[in-house]
Amino acid sequence: MEEMRTLLAGCLRESANGYVVDALIENYPNISELMSASEKEISSVKGIGVVKAKQLSAILEFARKVYAPDKNKRIIVRSPKDVYDLVRADMEFLQVEHFDVIGLSTKNHVIFKENISIGSLNASIVHPREAFKGLIRRSCAACILVHNHPSSDASPSEEDILLTQKLVECGKLIGIEVLDHIIVGADGGGYISLKEQGRM
């Protein structure tokens, strides 16, 4: 919390213990909520005018782009860390669960990344038909499953493990290998690879 206070104070040229920073933290008690806030929402906070809202929104957008991978660079997945680096900017600050599929070529080049489900605070509903539709259409050789936990705990639930096993079996029938399932934790919670954990 103190680190967040210091960062906000530096960005806005305000006192770390001043009412402006207090008001922001009261409205957005963690980085995840602040990163998801729009400029309009920020400007409605007491003590934050239009100028400061634009300034803070620009800084947050810059932070998102720094995390985001270069879209012009051809991406090859060699490890779970490569997947985490690819999706971190999109997933780390989400408030509800998003389930994405990453389609790969025979040499593990990323062909596409697609969101197939948006759920609640602690669950997303995923149907195999939706998971594999884009992969079949784009003739992918393999895929990686990715979803976020809105909490900082990336540990897989029993439902996560059962869903992964179901999708792995579907992939075998279709001929598209499910290489891994990566779970991303919020607010710097890191990631967990079910493949590395031996759970798929």
Side-chain angles (χ1 to χ4, degrees):
M1 185 65 75
E2 286 307 310
E3 185 180 7
M4 186 170 168
R5 278 186 174 278
T6 304
L7 287 170
L8 285 172
C11 289
L12 298 173
R13 295 183 180 179
E14 295 282 347
S15 166
N17 297 310
Y19 75 92
V20 172
V21 173
D22 281 345
L24 275 169
I25 288 176
E26 185 180 337
N27 282 272
Y28 306 105
N30 57 58
I31 292 289
S32 179
E33 291 184 36
L34 183 59
M35 289 291 281
S36 300
S38 68
E39 184 181 316
K40 185 177 180 181
E41 288 169 334
I42 293 170
S43 67
S44 69
V45 174
K46 185 180 178 182
I48 301 286
V50 174
V51 174
K52 284 194 185 295
K54 282 186 180 298
Q55 184 181 351
L56 186 53
S57 291
I59 290 167
L60 293 173
E61 182 60 24
F62 176 76
R64 291 186 200 101
K65 291 195 181 301
V66 166
Y67 274 128
D70 183 354
K71 288 181 170 56
N72 296 317
K73 184 179 178 184
R74 197 171 191 194
I75 300 166
I76 303 175
V77 172
R78 298 185 179 90
S79 70
K81 175 68 164 54
D82 290 340
V83 178
Y84 179 60
D85 290 341
L86 176 64
V87 303
R88 181 180 180 185
D90 294 330
M91 288 197 143
E92 192 174 28
F93 303 108
L94 295 172
Q95 298 294 299
V96 296
E97 283 201 6
H98 283 57
F99 197 102
D100 290 3
V101 170
I102 299 171
L104 304 172
S105 71
T106 53
K107 295 185 178 180
N108 286 356
H109 288 106
V110 173
I111 297 173
F112 78 105
K113 178 170 78 74
E114 180 179 45
N115 174 258
I116 59 166
S117 173
I118 299 175
S120 62
L121 282 172
N122 57 8
S124 59
I125 300 168
V126 179
H127 193 282
R129 179 179 59 248
E130 298 304 317
F132 287 97
K133 185 166 65 176
L135 297 166
I136 294 167
R137 190 167 63 245
R138 295 173 176 89
S139 301
C140 294
C143 72
I144 293 174
L145 313 172
V146 188
H147 84 277
N148 67 300
H149 281 178
S151 71
S152 58
D153 183 7
S155 302
S157 65
E158 190 62 33
E159 289 79 9
D160 292 336
I161 295 165
L162 291 172
L163 174 62
T164 304
Q165 291 169 350
K166 182 179 180 181
L167 293 176
V168 166
E169 289 305 311
C170 289
K172 286 177 182 176
L173 290 172
I174 296 168
I176 298 174
E177 186 180 3
V178 179
L179 298 178
D180 204 344
H181 185 170
I182 306 294
I183 302 173
V184 178
D187 296 329
Y191 69 93
I192 282 177
S193 158
L194 268 67
K195 182 79 170 180
E196 286 185 340
Q197 288 197 339
R199 297 191 173 193
M200 58 178 293

